[in-house]
Amino acid sequence: MCADLDVPLSPINIQRFANDCLQVQLLENCRERDVYLVQPVVRPAQESLMELLLMIDAAKGASAGRITAVMPHFAYARSDKKDAPRISLGGRLVADLLETAGVNRILTMTLHAPQVHAFFRVPTDQLNALRELAEHFLPSDLSKATVVSPDLGNAKSASAFAKMLGVPVAAAAKERFDGDRVEITSLIGDVTGRDIIVLDDEIANGSTILAILDLLREHGARSVRIACTHGIFANDAAHRIAADPDVVEIVTTNTVPSTGLLAHDKLTVISVAPAFAEAVRRIHSGESVSALFDPTHV
């Protein structure tokens, strides 16, 4: 991002005390400056969240003019509804914590569900990686390609992605049980003899992708490529998915740091740093950023 913006990366110092508490110090003057704090809320999620809150507090205490939290991935977006008795809504709570800490604006990418956007009561820009993913697939032979959404909740994004590629779209009906057990019972659309591109917003444990692979095999799909924005790939999920003989390629972005985590010849990681850099430039200069998070804009 800094390279694209031609600005230096300002250093910070994080100190851990003997009682395991953290202290953050910004090592650059930010008085009346437009400050952008880049921190994906990823594993260890509690640690990264606390670091971000402390950075916001430090910038607020240093009289920053405006504080924008740039969260390429927001893990707590999955805690977005009360679907069981007496459970917490982590997404809303963390949004409130960020506001209380002093953030003025949020910049993020592909929240897990549309309602999460409304949890933030400060201006929030939600980018997506559909354009970057489409640019990766467009040079390929797409004459027999079909985009498949692994669940109906992602069908709108899958439709926009399919339109960018100029191919048909299909969607599956998914039911999630306790833990990571997933059952996909039906598929809407024709996938027989087709080259499938499965589009999902996030791959964590990989249970949804493994389930859709079984269903696509039953319906006679010719080949499968996987595309997602947030490649968490917990519990060796990338290797388990890549081990499927029908999977040709797994494509994700770098919203989740992957150093030392992923190494497979079927895996491609696309950088979304230019998209975030352009969003930061437009926010700083007071320009519209709507073109960057419009999935139909090419």
Side-chain angles (χ1 to χ4, degrees):
M1 287 176 61
C2 289
D4 287 328
L5 291 168
D6 194 26
V7 298
L9 176 62
S10 300
I12 68 168
N13 179 52
I14 299 178
Q15 181 180 358
R16 186 182 297 275
F17 295 111
N19 64 356
D20 206 38
C21 291
L22 297 175
Q23 176 179 279
V24 169
Q25 181 184 16
L26 307 182
L27 302 179
E28 189 80 31
N29 175 35
C30 56
R31 184 176 294 274
E32 299 304 325
R33 302 287 184 88
D34 198 5
V35 176
Y36 295 84
L37 302 171
V38 183
Q39 175 81 318
V41 179
V42 296
R43 181 179 295 186
Q46 283 59 251
E47 190 95 347
S48 60
L49 174 60
M50 196 64 204
E51 289 177 0
L52 177 57
L53 291 170
L54 291 171
M55 285 192 287
I56 294 169
D57 182 71
K60 181 181 178 182
S63 301
R66 179 173 62 180
I67 304 168
T68 300
V70 181
M71 298 186 296
H73 178 57
F74 179 47
Y76 276 97
R78 296 189 68 161
S79 179
D80 62 335
K81 56 186 176 294
K82 189 172 181 180
D83 53 3
R86 299 171 298 282
I87 63 170
S88 59
L89 288 176
R92 186 178 64 187
L93 173 62
V94 173
D96 289 343
L97 287 172
L98 291 167
E99 183 182 1
T100 300
V103 78
N104 302 116
R105 194 178 195 98
I106 301 290
L107 176 61
T108 188
M109 177 171 277
T110 312
L111 295 169
H112 186 63
Q115 62 265 27
V116 178
H117 197 143
F119 290 167
F120 298 100
R121 289 178 290 188
V122 296
T124 301
D125 296 308
Q126 181 187 181
L127 309 179
N128 68 68
L130 296 185
R131 183 163 36 184
E132 286 77 9
L133 292 171
E135 288 172 354
H136 174 81
F137 288 107
L138 279 171
S140 307
D141 179 9
L142 300 176
S143 58
K144 292 188 176 182
T146 296
V147 172
V148 172
S149 171
D151 60 70
L152 297 176
N154 194 53
K156 184 176 180 180
S157 294
S159 296
F161 186 59
K163 185 177 180 180
M164 290 179 176
L165 298 178
V167 302
V169 63
K174 181 181 77 173
E175 185 175 0
R176 183 178 292 276
F177 300 92
D178 291 341
D180 287 310
R181 190 166 68 88
V182 170
E183 183 178 343
I184 299 180
T185 55
S186 60
L187 190 63
I188 304 169
D190 183 21
V191 299
T192 304
R194 306 289 292 180
D195 297 318
I196 304 302
I197 302 174
V198 177
L199 177 72
D200 207 353
D201 65 313
E202 173 183 308
I203 299 178
N205 198 49
S207 54
T208 297
I209 298 300
L210 293 172
I212 192 70
L213 285 172
D214 290 339
L215 189 64
L216 291 171
R217 190 178 296 109
E218 292 174 11
H219 283 73
R222 189 169 74 167
S223 68
V224 182
R225 285 180 284 182
I226 311 296
C228 72
T229 300
H230 308 299
I232 298 170
F233 300 124
N235 302 317
D236 208 28
H239 290 82
R240 287 188 285 112
I241 294 169
D244 190 298
D246 294 330
V247 174
V248 176
E249 184 182 25
I250 304 169
V251 184
T252 187
T253 76
N254 60 347
T255 57
V256 176
S258 58
T259 304
L261 177 64
L262 309 172
H264 201 285
D265 56 2
K266 289 186 179 181
L267 180 71
T268 300
V269 180
I270 299 172
S271 177
V272 289
F276 275 98
E278 178 62 15
V280 167
R281 187 193 66 79
R282 292 185 180 215
I283 292 170
H284 179 69
S285 60
E287 300 176 40
S288 171
V289 298
S290 59
L292 296 178
F293 53 77
D294 180 0
T296 63
H297 179 87
V298 180

